[in-house]
Structure formats: structure tokens, C-alpha cells
Amino acid sequence: MRRSLKWLAVATTIGMIFILIGGALVTKTGSGMGCGRSWPLCHGKFLPLDITPELMIELAHRLVSGIGGIMVLVLSIWSWKAIGHVRETKFLSFLSFFFLLLQGLIGAAAVKWGQSDFVLALHFGISLISFSSVFLLTLLIFEVDKKFEAEKLIIDKRMGFHIVGVSIYSYLVIYSGALVRHTKSSLICRDWPLCLNDAPAFPSNMYEWVQMGHRAAAGLIFIWIAYITYLAIRHYKDQKVLYWGWIISFILVCLQVTAGALIIFSRLNLYIALLHAFFITCLFGVLSYFLLLYSRSRRNHP
């Protein structure tokens, strides 16, 4: 039974990644209205006759999200019953399904009635919370904490502050990135890292403010994670989960920044843009695990 639960957990985690990347694909290709103002059907039909690329992308995303939603629900109930004695299980089970349902409802409302760009930008972040909850459930099912001896992990207040702070801040960075996509501000600045490298100036309109605000926020999280990684390498060599976890986080944030720059240089190459979304998804998952570890450290070593 536990082996089947592990397989379901891995499949659901992968499915959540596809949902997140699929949502980014819908936004980046402008396929949000591929099925018109009809939901859950497409133009009021199960199988529309007038097939377009936008329709195929939107319909595929709805199908993957629907299957993923069922998998998350099954995983939540099964985990609740199988490992409900583990402190975080019930909370994560609730979060994973609730936020996936919430993002589905926001998506449906956007199709039926439309939403502002600032509301739609929440869509990716809400899905990310659901993904992180499923990811943490998977780690609990595989008893990763026992392999890393998490019960012996001691995280001091300084590291704890950085874990909580950078995790919350990363969510703001993610929101600003989603806002760039939804306001179609991705290519408003032709250069990088400045909007115009040969003529530095403050942003002159909302779109430039959105783009440059996101770049500034991304630059700060890069510096912050680089500093935390330095602390982990210097002071946490004997606690491998923190030592290697922060090294992985730094690699991911480097890939994230690189992908962000390449989006500009490639004039919004779709594959690079999707990698950009993938890297931040992985980074947020790692940061979420750090939050779990810090919570356990405070419980075990108050």
C-alpha cells in the first residue's frame, strides 16, 4: 500500500509541474481565450470542430488540470489516512487541494467574466502553493526527514529569519514575474539589466515599472540567496540538508536569473520562458522544504 502511495505522490508532483508550466504556456501564447467564454466546455462543446493552436493549448491545460485535481484529491485523502499521524500531513493535504481548487476557480472566472491583470497574476502563485504542498507531502511519504535526520537538525534564529524572510519575499518576486506576463510587459525593455543600457533612466510608464520592478526584485533575491548560501557553507557543513539545500537553491536562482536575461536577448523565446517558470517552481519547492525543517527544528529544539 505504501509503495502505491509513493508512486501516486511522485506522479502527482510531476502532474503539478505540468499544470504550472501549462498555465505559463497559456499565458505566454495568449491562449487564455482559446475556448472563448465557455467553461468547462470549449465554445460550448466537448470537441469543437474549429481547431486552432490556442484552443488546443487551452483545452490541454484544462484537461491536465482536471486530471491533476483528481490526483491531488486522492493523494490528500490517502495521505491523511496513511500518514495522518505525522504532524504536517493533514495541513498539507488540505492546502494542496484547496489552493488547486482556488486556482481553478480563478481560471474559470477569468474565462467567464474576465479579470484584471493584477488578479490574474495571482493564478501562478496560488498554483505554486498547491505544488509545494504536494511536494512536501511526497517528501513526508518517502520519509525524507528520517534520511536527513531532521529531528537532530538545529536551525538558529539567524538562519531561521533568512528562511522565513526569503521564502515570503520569493512569493512577491513570483507575483511580480506573473504580473510582467499578464500585463504583456516582457519586451517593453529591449536591454538587460537596464531597460536601455545606453540611456539609463527611471521607468516612464506602468509597463516599464512592472518590468524593471521585477528585475530589481529578482536581483535582490539573487543577492539574498547568495548570502544565505555563504552562511550555509561556512557554518552548516555538518548539517548536510542545509548545506546542500542552499547550494541547490543558489544554482536554481542563478538559472532563474540567466533565463530571465535570455528571455530578453532571445526576444521572448517560448522554451526559455517556460524554463524560467520551471526554475522558480523548483526553487519555491526547496524553500518550502526549508520552512518545514525550520518548523521542526523549533519544535525539537525550542
Side-chain angles (χ1 to χ4, degrees):
M1 180 177 178
R2 182 62 67 89
R3 186 175 182 181
S4 299
L5 180 58
K6 287 181 177 180
W7 277 108
L8 176 62
V10 171
T12 306
T13 302
I14 295 173
M16 284 301 306
I17 292 176
F18 276 109
I19 290 173
L20 283 161
I21 301 302
L25 179 63
V26 168
T27 302
K28 293 178 186 300
T29 57
S31 302
M33 295 307 296
C35 287
R37 291 288 180 187
S38 179
W39 191 94
L41 302 179
C42 207
H43 294 297
K45 301 176 181 178
F46 283 104
L47 294 173
L49 299 177
D50 186 15
I51 304 297
T52 63
E54 292 79 11
L55 183 147
M56 293 178 65
I57 291 172
E58 171 67 10
L59 194 57
H61 178 56
R62 292 187 188 184
L63 180 62
V64 171
S65 298
I67 295 173
I70 295 171
M71 293 174 69
V72 169
L73 178 60
V74 173
L75 178 66
S76 299
I77 296 173
W78 197 346
S79 300
W80 191 301
K81 292 183 177 180
I83 59 170
H85 59 282
V86 179
R87 187 182 65 151
E88 299 86 0
T89 300
K90 294 179 180 179
F91 177 66
L92 291 173
S93 296
F94 171 77
L95 276 188
S96 59
F97 184 72
F98 174 78
F99 278 95
L100 185 61
L101 179 63
L102 181 61
Q103 70 89 16
L105 292 175
I106 290 177
V111 170
K112 297 289 287 184
W113 304 293
Q115 295 284 353
S116 73
D117 293 329
F118 292 90
V119 173
L120 288 174
L122 291 171
H123 197 258
F124 185 81
I126 290 172
S127 300
L128 206 53
I129 294 176
S130 182
F131 161 77
S132 297
S133 301
V134 170
F135 176 65
L136 294 180
L137 269 180
T138 300
L139 296 182
L140 293 180
I141 291 168
F142 277 83
E143 298 182 327
V144 169
D145 282 358
K146 293 183 179 179
K147 296 173 184 176
F148 285 137
E149 298 182 327
E151 71 279 357
K152 299 179 182 179
L153 188 65
I154 300 176
I155 300 178
D156 60 30
K157 289 185 178 180
R158 179 176 64 172
M159 179 59 76
F161 166 80
H162 287 302
I163 288 174
V164 174
V166 82
S167 298
I168 295 172
Y169 181 71
S170 70
Y171 201 76
L172 299 177
V173 176
I174 290 164
Y175 177 79
S176 69
L179 196 58
V180 168
R181 293 197 302 270
H182 284 285
T183 57
K184 296 180 173 59
S185 303
S186 298
L187 295 180
I188 194 68
C189 295
R190 70 167 189 256
D191 293 331
W192 190 93
L194 301 179
C195 195
L196 297 173
N197 289 338
D198 56 352
F202 282 106
S204 59
N205 55 62
M206 185 197 76
Y207 302 102
E208 289 184 0
W209 275 110
V210 170
Q211 172 63 247
M212 294 309 297
H214 174 61
R215 291 188 192 183
L220 180 56
I221 199 173
F222 172 80
I223 295 170
W224 197 348
I225 290 179
Y227 174 67
I228 303 172
T229 304
Y230 164 76
L231 293 178
I233 292 174
R234 185 169 182 179
H235 301 292
Y236 289 87
K237 286 184 178 179
D238 57 333
Q239 301 196 52
K240 297 301 181 183
V241 64
L242 286 178
Y243 180 84
W244 288 109
W246 281 113
I247 289 176
I248 292 171
S249 296
F250 182 65
I251 292 172
L252 287 171
V253 80
C254 286
L255 291 171
Q256 176 73 2
V257 171
T258 302
L262 289 176
I263 287 174
I264 305 301
F265 297 144
S266 67
R267 314 315 293 173
L268 204 58
N269 179 275
L270 180 60
Y271 299 105
I272 295 175
L274 293 180
L275 280 175
H276 191 61
F278 175 72
F279 292 142
I280 196 62
T281 297
C282 294
L283 177 60
F284 193 77
V286 175
L287 294 178
S288 297
Y289 183 53
F290 284 144
L291 285 173
L292 177 65
L293 291 176
Y294 181 51
S295 172
R296 292 196 163 186
S297 174
R298 292 188 62 187
R299 183 186 64 179
N300 296 332
H301 308 279

